Amino acid sequence: MSNKSNFFSSFATTVADLSGKPFTFVAALALVLVWAVSGPFFGYSETWQLVINTTTTIITFLMVFVLQNSQNRDGKALQAKLDELILTSQAANKFVGIEKLDEGELREMSKTLAEKAECVEDKADEKSAAEAASV
């Protein structure tokens, strides 16, 4: 199972990297232009329309899973890096793993942090004003 998982992760990373390149966009645009230009040759038939609709639907459907896999791994890696920074700094260790909290707990923690940030900002403003007055 691990081999299959590694293969898919590698595949997802490669596809995600390629899908974000300008060349891929230009290739997709060229494909759509070729399809549009071919319309008169096929009499703008239902089959002609079905080709582009089916193709784009299938590609979009598959890309959702590939990009989600890549994004999930990136998010987990970023979270691990942040956890490491928290653990090795003076920050409160209670923030390690907060991504696993439910919505209400995250909102409450965010509110508490916003209040603390406001206090720090007020103290910084007071300090700046005191330094300006003493000059």
Side-chain angles (χ1 to χ4, degrees):
M1 176 87 176
S2 181
N3 243 357
K4 289 181 184 179
S5 178
N6 288 340
F7 172 76
F8 185 72
S9 292
S10 177
F11 173 75
T13 300
T14 302
V15 171
D17 288 344
L18 290 174
S19 68
K21 296 198 180 297
F23 173 78
T24 307
F25 173 78
V26 171
L29 181 63
L31 183 65
V32 170
L33 289 174
V34 166
W35 170 80
V37 169
S38 71
F41 299 108
F42 294 100
Y44 300 102
S45 68
E46 288 184 22
T47 303
W48 172 79
Q49 293 176 30
L50 188 63
V51 166
I52 196 71
N53 290 339
T54 304
T55 303
T56 56
T57 300
I58 290 170
I59 291 170
T60 302
F61 178 74
L62 295 175
M63 286 298 289
V64 166
F65 298 105
V66 169
L67 294 177
Q68 188 63 51
N69 176 273
S70 181
Q71 189 176 33
N72 287 348
R73 282 183 295 106
D74 288 349
K76 286 177 185 174
L78 180 61
Q79 206 57 54
K81 290 174 185 179
L82 289 172
D83 288 349
E84 177 65 15
L85 288 173
I86 290 169
L87 290 170
T88 59
S89 72
Q90 298 298 319
N93 287 346
K94 68 181 180 182
F95 295 109
V96 173
I98 65 170
E99 69 278 2
K100 296 174 183 136
L101 298 177
D102 67 32
E103 187 80 23
E105 291 170 319
L106 283 172
R107 261 198 207 116
E108 188 61 38
M109 188 170 274
S110 181
K111 181 180 174 187
T112 303
L113 288 171
E115 290 169 357
K116 284 183 182 179
E118 215 171 279
C119 289
V120 169
E121 186 179 347
D122 290 344
K123 286 181 184 178
D125 288 345
E126 289 171 11
K127 185 176 180 180
S128 295
E131 288 175 357
S134 67
V135 173

